[in-house]
Amino acid sequence: MKKHLASFRKGWQSENLAKYILSNFAFISQPSTIADDLGSDFFCVIFDIIPNGKTKFLVPKESFTIQIKSNRKSYYITGKTEYLKSLGIPFFVGVCNRRSQVLDFYSGEYLIPFFVDEPSAEKIKIKLCETDDCKENQYTEKNSEFTLKFPKLFTISSDHDSPEFKKAIKNLSKTCRAISRNITRRNNKEYIFFESFSNNIILVSNKKLIKESIDARLNKIFFELAYIIENDYIDVDLNKYEKIMDSLRKL
């Protein structure tokens, strides 16, 4: 008789519970074979339920991808770095609690500035933590091994009729939009990012990249301003721009 490992079964149970919870608010797709293991268990598109007479339509909105875990233990993403570095949608880790039938969401938003600062990093450990633990360092480094924090944002239960469930989905949509804007900034080589759960700014440590980003954006602003003035496109109060320039000169 073939032996079965209990840990594999727990992982399978967690994945199926997560799939059920996710299916209550999102369209889901997943890799069809083990060979397709990229580092995500599910690719999801949040939907809105829009009533139309006696029928209801499911309208797709924000997208995200998620890796499912059965506990909060730290784990390595070695071998998945190229995939995570180039992801075009938000990445989360979901921890399933089979007893309480809930899914905790941990945000991978720090991956974006991390890979800007450390593009060649290979040995990376993910640490799932509370948001208060992320106030200072989003990642640490020791002997060429990096530990990257994933802050916990919210919990989504299997009770899809509860007010808490609906509030959590709204927060998830808002978070996805915030992280997607950071991804767009990265793709546009703008290296000032914002935390999804606060007003905090995340600055990368690469001074050269910051300078290139500032130069590109200032060039764009001044070209647009010159075009507006030369073509009488709209009335512009130049005094406020002169005050900004004076402040910069004093600095």
Side-chain angles (χ1 to χ4, degrees):
M1 182 178 177
K2 188 175 180 179
K3 294 182 179 179
H4 296 277
L5 293 177
S7 59
F8 287 170
R9 183 167 182 81
K10 286 181 180 178
W12 176 81
Q13 289 173 331
S14 295
E15 190 171 306
N16 277 279
L17 173 59
K19 188 174 183 180
Y20 170 72
I21 293 174
L22 293 168
S23 68
N24 287 321
F25 63 87
F27 301 111
I28 301 173
S29 64
Q30 64 185 120
S32 58
T33 65
I34 295 176
D36 295 327
D37 180 18
L38 296 172
S40 296
D41 289 314
F42 300 110
F43 298 91
C44 305
V45 180
I46 301 170
F47 56 70
D48 254 351
I49 302 175
I50 308 297
N52 184 17
K54 294 182 179 180
T55 59
K56 294 180 180 179
F57 292 100
L58 303 182
V59 180
K61 295 178 64 184
E62 295 80 20
S63 300
F64 66 92
T65 181
I66 188 168
Q67 176 80 41
I68 303 301
K69 298 291 181 181
S70 56
N71 57 61
R72 282 184 49 172
K73 291 180 181 178
S74 299
Y75 71 98
Y76 288 93
I77 56 171
T78 306
K80 305 290 192 303
T81 54
E82 288 304 316
Y83 164 73
L84 293 171
K85 192 186 302 183
S86 58
L87 258 181
I89 58 176
F91 175 75
F92 298 95
V93 171
V95 176
C96 261
N97 187 318
R98 296 185 300 279
R99 180 173 297 177
S100 55
Q101 300 282 289
V102 298
L103 183 63
D104 294 327
F105 272 69
Y106 293 82
S107 173
E109 59 196 84
Y110 294 145
L111 285 167
I112 302 166
F114 171 76
F115 280 123
V116 171
D117 279 336
E118 305 290 344
S120 59
E122 284 295 335
K123 198 169 185 181
I124 306 167
K125 183 167 65 176
I126 299 303
K127 180 181 180 181
L128 307 179
C129 59
E130 300 298 322
T131 53
D132 289 343
D133 296 335
C134 302
K135 286 183 178 178
E136 303 218 354
N137 297 324
Q138 286 84 41
Y139 69 90
T140 56
E141 186 266 338
K142 185 177 181 180
N143 299 327
S144 298
E145 177 178 310
F146 296 89
T147 299
L148 180 63
K149 296 177 181 178
F150 273 44
K152 180 182 176 181
L153 298 188
F154 33 75
T155 299
I156 298 179
S157 73
S158 58
D159 182 7
H160 54 83
D161 292 322
S162 68
E164 292 79 12
F165 176 88
K166 295 173 182 177
K167 182 180 179 180
I169 303 310
K170 286 184 179 179
N171 287 335
L172 176 58
S173 290
K174 182 180 177 181
T175 298
C176 286
R177 291 194 295 271
I179 298 174
S180 294
R181 285 193 289 270
N182 283 339
I183 292 171
T184 300
R185 291 185 184 99
R186 177 201 65 192
N187 294 343
N188 290 336
K189 297 183 178 180
E190 298 174 6
Y191 301 111
I192 296 178
F193 306 110
F194 296 85
E195 283 182 339
S196 70
F197 53 91
S198 72
N199 294 320
N200 292 341
I201 295 174
I202 305 172
L203 286 173
V204 298
S205 60
N206 191 316
K207 295 179 182 178
K208 181 183 177 183
L209 290 180
I210 292 177
K211 182 181 181 304
E212 290 175 355
S213 174
I214 291 173
D215 289 346
R217 281 180 290 153
L218 284 178
N219 283 334
K220 180 176 180 290
I221 289 169
F222 285 123
F223 275 121
E224 289 174 345
L225 185 59
Y227 175 83
I228 288 169
I229 294 171
E230 289 170 3
N231 294 277
D232 294 323
Y233 190 61
I234 55 174
D235 291 331
V236 175
D237 181 10
L238 290 179
N239 287 330
K240 63 181 179 181
Y241 293 100
E242 289 174 355
K243 290 177 181 177
I244 294 172
M245 291 301 297
D246 287 340
S247 298
L248 289 173
R249 289 189 184 99
K250 289 176 181 177
L251 286 172

